[in-house]
Amino acid sequence: MVNEALFGVRHERNMLIRLGDGVELAADLALPDAPGRFPAVVTNMTGYRKDDFIGANVAYVHGYLAERGYASLVVDVRGAGSSAGEVPRLNSKREAADGVQVVEWAAAQDWCDGGVAVWGSSWGGMISLAVAAQRAPHLKAIVPVVTDSDGYVTLHPGGCTRAVDTLSWVSWQLAFDLAPPGFVDPDGRWMRVWRERLGRLQRGDLQGLEAQPHKEYDEHWKERAIPVEQVAVPTLIVGGWRDGAGAQAMPDIYQRVAGPRKLLMGPWPHTQPHFAAHAPIDFPHELVRFFDHWLKGKANGVADEPEVKLYVQGAERWRHEREWPIARTQTQEWHLQPGRALGSASGEGSDTYRADPTVGTSTLFGGPYPSEQAQDDLRSLTYTSAPLEQGMEITGSPEAILRVALEDGDELQLVAKLCAVAPDDSSTLITTGYLSAAHRESFERAQLVEVGVVEEYRIALYPTSYFVPAGHRIRLAIACSDFPRIWPLGTNPTMRVELAGSLVRVPVVPEATEVLDEPVLRGPDPAINRRPWGAVMMPVTRKVERDAVTGAVSVQTAYVTDLRTPAGVTFRWHQSSQTTTTATRPDAAFARTEICIDMQLPGGGHAEVRTSSRATREAMVLNGEVTIDGVRMFSGSWQEPDGL
């Protein structure tokens, strides 16, 4: 079979890469166990700890690359894991500059043939883009996976503010920073690195906390945005339709990069494609195919394939396309009509809706995939078409155009969801879009929303590919909340939707006249253990509770990670989260996250990290402590805004 293992693998743990300013980054090397020089691949350079958490997540790919003739490096960014130095702010120029130095260091090693690639998911994907935008001289190709190039788009979609995911991520960073490095060297460097990091936390410098007050697209975000137009190396962009803002970011990155490019979009959430629960693919195989062509010059068909591979949900099939957006797309306009209908002609009259802050649990609660939408639809303002006479493929970026007046309240945000409704009335989410009314013209500056004045709001929905069969209906659901994905407003405004001029534009793709071969994407071999160190972030609890008396809704989740690392460390992570809002007091909505890390170190020491975090729409408070063998070594508290 193609891409079978060619080499044994030898590992070198915790190599130190000295940067120009003297800071040492720690890296793990997997190298073909054979003489000669090989192309190098920087594998998922992040702040998520190569020695346990992210190391476990990429351990299979790390070894897979080495078996197929690549020198793979998993690197901790400065100030994280086993790397020294002060942590840079996510997506900063410092991080990009460090990545360039890692690429050039690898190219100069006697085991490297001078060619280097970078791939990574999420944070690691950002770094791959940032390094490529800096045009590292020896960089030959990149593969960014489920990531973005602008943090504002992810944390403030449509000018709204993400809720539980932001708190979880900041809580992660605190827990990771408090925990001792997972590689305990005999010379005691690990302790020096750890004490330096705890000193930084003692000064109040916590990664991610600064994002809370930056709700507009200001200099904080602009200086962190990656200029992907400067990416000239071959790029394989891998995204998922169920990755929220990532579904928007990956096709956008594809359109903007300057070099040779491929786009692979599956029905996945925020995960590597071989770990996905639905329609997984053998992602390491695709990674090696891409690198084999661009780093080894193999004529394996990669360059000849159409640029776009996409998965059509509903039809449950893969398809090739030559471009994105698809050139033959036909835009259909579905107008809001009386009787909560969607149709081809513009309607007259208006409908009034009072915001319900509990809308949204169906979007998130299905885990990585949304669950049945009926409960959220009932709490939203919905418009539904007649049964379709023939099937309709929606592939592209829908847009809802709504003429709305704020009838009562101080502020307004709009959530638009496009759903497919089956003959049994079950409702499946196709895609979602958000817009803060105050940012209808610019994310850089908020403007007043005047009561009683009808404004036109254009809500961009995330790109998708979804086939709606004949006999099914399409539905536009409009609300002011998608909790706990985004924070609800401080009050429950009342809005009036004018039917005339209100519609949803749907990108419909007919069958192609040019017949392209279907993509050949093999699935993961179920006999192979893709998590050799243990399970990472496995769900143990998902629960939604509604109080019929108060109208409160609470979403509770819990996850566990159990690892045993090659360094002999046992690492257990337990995270529980709760998000709660009431129907009448959305200003009291809160999210709470607790994390416990339990590490048994090789020398017999026992480290325990505990964090407790709480956030509202306007503030965030985090507490954390770490003990060694039951003796408290550090404790601290952090908050935003300061002086809370």
Side-chain angles (χ1 to χ4, degrees):
M1 294 179 68
V2 178
N3 283 348
E4 292 307 303
L6 302 173
F7 303 96
V9 180
R10 60 185 177 90
H11 292 271
E12 187 167 340
R13 308 284 182 188
N14 225 52
M15 300 175 65
L16 299 180
I17 302 172
R18 181 174 290 273
L19 303 179
D21 60 1
V23 169
E24 292 178 330
L25 302 189
D28 286 351
L29 173 67
L31 190 66
D33 192 10
R37 296 173 181 264
F38 304 92
V41 178
V42 179
T43 290
N44 226 30
M45 180 176 174
T46 74
Y48 297 146
R49 298 170 59 95
K50 69 175 180 64
D51 294 309
D52 37 63
F53 197 90
I54 202 62
N57 214 31
V58 300
Y60 173 70
V61 183
H62 185 48
Y64 186 99
L65 288 165
E67 289 174 342
R68 284 148 185 86
Y70 292 90
S72 175
L73 282 165
V74 183
V75 186
D76 284 332
V77 300
R78 71 165 63 210
S82 292
S83 289
E86 293 286 323
V87 66
R89 292 308 175 201
L90 186 63
N91 235 10
S92 70
K93 294 180 175 64
R94 174 73 269 172
E95 209 165 67
D98 289 353
V100 169
Q101 291 188 65
V102 169
V103 166
E104 296 306 300
W105 176 89
Q109 301 308 301
D110 59 10
W111 38 258
C112 182
D113 67 2
V116 184
V118 181
W119 86 271
S121 62
S122 194
W123 191 343
M126 294 180 199
I127 289 181
S128 74
L129 289 165
V131 170
Q134 295 297 314
R135 302 198 171 180
H138 286 86
L139 184 67
K140 303 301 182 184
I142 63 168
V143 181
V145 182
V146 292
T147 189
D148 62 56
S149 62
D150 192 329
Y152 183 84
V153 175
T154 298
L155 296 179
H156 298 281
C160 304
T161 300
R162 288 183 72 168
V164 62
D165 293 336
T166 300
L167 177 65
S168 291
W169 185 78
V170 178
S171 300
W172 278 29
Q173 294 311 117
L174 174 58
F176 285 145
D177 283 352
L178 286 172
F183 187 90
V184 179
D185 63 289
D187 295 332
R189 177 184 176 275
W190 71 279
M191 180 61 73
R192 295 191 297 274
V193 166
W194 188 28
R195 287 189 179 277
E196 179 184 22
R197 187 161 308 138
L198 294 179
R200 185 251 298 169
L201 290 174
Q202 190 72 57
R203 296 190 297 274
D205 191 2
L206 176 61
Q207 169 84 304
L209 194 61
E210 78 283 357
Q212 181 76 4
H214 295 274
K215 293 182 171 62
E216 296 182 342
Y217 194 59
D218 57 15
E219 290 304 316
H220 172 88
W221 299 111
K222 292 177 183 178
E223 69 180 11
R224 286 163 173 76
I226 301 170
V228 295
E229 295 84 0
Q230 298 177 22
V231 175
V233 297
T235 303
L236 171 60
I237 299 146
V238 182
W241 300 129
R242 298 300 181 179
D243 188 27
Q248 175 181 332
M250 304 311 283
D252 175 69
I253 291 167
Y254 164 79
Q255 291 177 262
R256 293 166 57 200
V257 297
R261 60 192 181 171
K262 301 285 186 180
L263 176 65
L264 173 63
M265 292 295 295
W268 310 310
H270 196 69
T271 189
Q272 295 175 47
H274 56 298
F275 291 141
H278 181 52
I281 65 169
D282 190 348
F283 171 66
H285 172 76
E286 294 303 314
L287 197 64
V288 167
R289 285 188 71 237
F290 190 74
F291 290 156
D292 275 355
H293 177 73
W294 291 109
L295 279 83
K296 295 184 178 180
K298 290 187 177 181
N300 56 10
V302 165
D304 302 323
E305 295 170 355
E307 287 192 0
V308 177
K309 291 184 177 77
L310 59 84
Y311 188 89
V312 184
Q313 302 165 99
E316 309 306 322
R317 69 185 183 97
W318 287 97
R319 192 173 71 233
H320 270 131
E321 294 290 347
R322 294 204 179 277
E323 71 284 308
W324 181 274
I326 299 171
R328 67 182 183 280
T329 301
Q330 300 169 358
T331 300
Q332 291 188 6
E333 294 188 347
W334 291 81
H335 295 261
L336 279 58
Q337 297 179 333
R340 306 289 180 84
L342 274 182
S344 58
S346 180
E348 297 294 335
S350 63
D351 290 314
T352 300
Y353 174 76
R354 183 168 177 79
D356 183 339
T358 69
V359 172
T361 57
S362 298
T363 304
L364 186 67
F365 180 62
Y369 303 96
S371 56
E372 213 278 331
Q373 297 292 297
Q375 289 297 314
D376 277 345
D377 288 355
L378 287 171
R379 293 175 171 84
S380 304
L381 185 61
T382 60
Y383 298 86
T384 308
S385 74
L388 300 178
E389 294 182 2
Q390 58 185 15
M392 178 172 68
E393 182 189 311
I394 301 170
T395 297
S397 304
E399 180 185 36
I401 301 172
L402 304 177
R403 297 183 67 245
V404 175
L406 178 63
E407 293 273 275
D408 174 63
D410 300 323
E411 55 183 344
L412 179 66
Q413 64 185 14
L414 297 168
V415 178
K417 297 179 182 177
L418 193 63
C419 299
V421 183
D424 64 0
D425 288 333
S426 60
S427 177
T428 301
L429 181 66
I430 298 175
T431 185
T432 305
Y434 307 96
L435 182 63
S436 163
H439 293 96
R440 60 192 178 275
E441 295 184 3
S442 171
F443 295 135
E444 298 181 22
R445 178 180 56 83
Q447 62 186 106
L448 180 68
V449 181
E450 296 185 42
V451 173
V453 177
V454 177
E455 298 279 1
E456 181 179 272
Y457 298 97
R458 293 178 172 263
I459 308 167
L461 279 66
Y462 294 141
T464 190
S465 183
Y466 194 99
F467 180 77
V468 184
H472 292 228
R473 295 164 286 162
I474 62 169
R475 172 176 292 162
L476 178 66
I478 304 166
C480 300
S481 178
D482 194 21
F483 185 79
R485 183 77 69 193
I486 62 171
W487 287 110
L489 298 168
T491 59
N492 291 333
T494 299
M495 66 178 181
R496 183 179 78 252
V497 178
E498 296 290 338
L499 302 185
S502 293
L503 65 143
V504 57
R505 287 182 172 152
V506 179
V508 177
V509 175
E511 289 291 333
T513 55
E514 178 192 14
V515 179
L516 299 176
D517 292 337
E518 289 191 359
V520 179
L521 291 165
R522 70 186 195 186
D525 184 344
I528 294 176
N529 178 14
R530 285 173 164 74
R531 298 192 186 275
W533 296 8
V536 179
M537 292 298 285
M538 302 301 292
V540 293
T541 301
R542 290 195 184 104
K543 182 168 60 175
V544 174
E545 294 182 341
R546 288 187 179 273
D547 189 314
V549 176
T550 65
V553 63
S554 177
V555 180
Q556 300 172 38
T557 60
Y559 297 88
V560 66
T561 292
D562 270 310
L563 309 174
R564 183 170 181 83
T565 77
V569 174
T570 59
F571 179 96
R572 180 177 176 84
W573 168 294
H574 185 272
Q575 174 181 334
S576 61
S577 298
Q578 177 185 347
T579 51
T580 300
T581 190
T582 67
T584 57
R585 286 292 307 276
D587 59 316
F590 71 90
R592 185 172 63 214
T593 294
E594 294 183 352
I595 295 173
C596 178
I597 298 177
D598 195 299
M599 297 177 66
Q600 196 69 37
L601 303 176
H606 174 230
E608 186 176 60
V609 172
R610 290 188 176 274
T611 71
S612 178
S613 312
R614 192 179 192 277
T616 66
R617 186 185 178 201
E618 302 298 336
M620 190 180 296
V621 178
L622 300 97
N623 297 283
E625 71 171 25
V626 56
T627 61
I628 298 291
D629 294 331
V631 178
R632 181 185 295 172
M633 184 167 181
F634 179 91
S635 65
S637 180
W638 302 262
Q639 58 192 28
E640 181 61 52
D642 289 335
L644 184 68

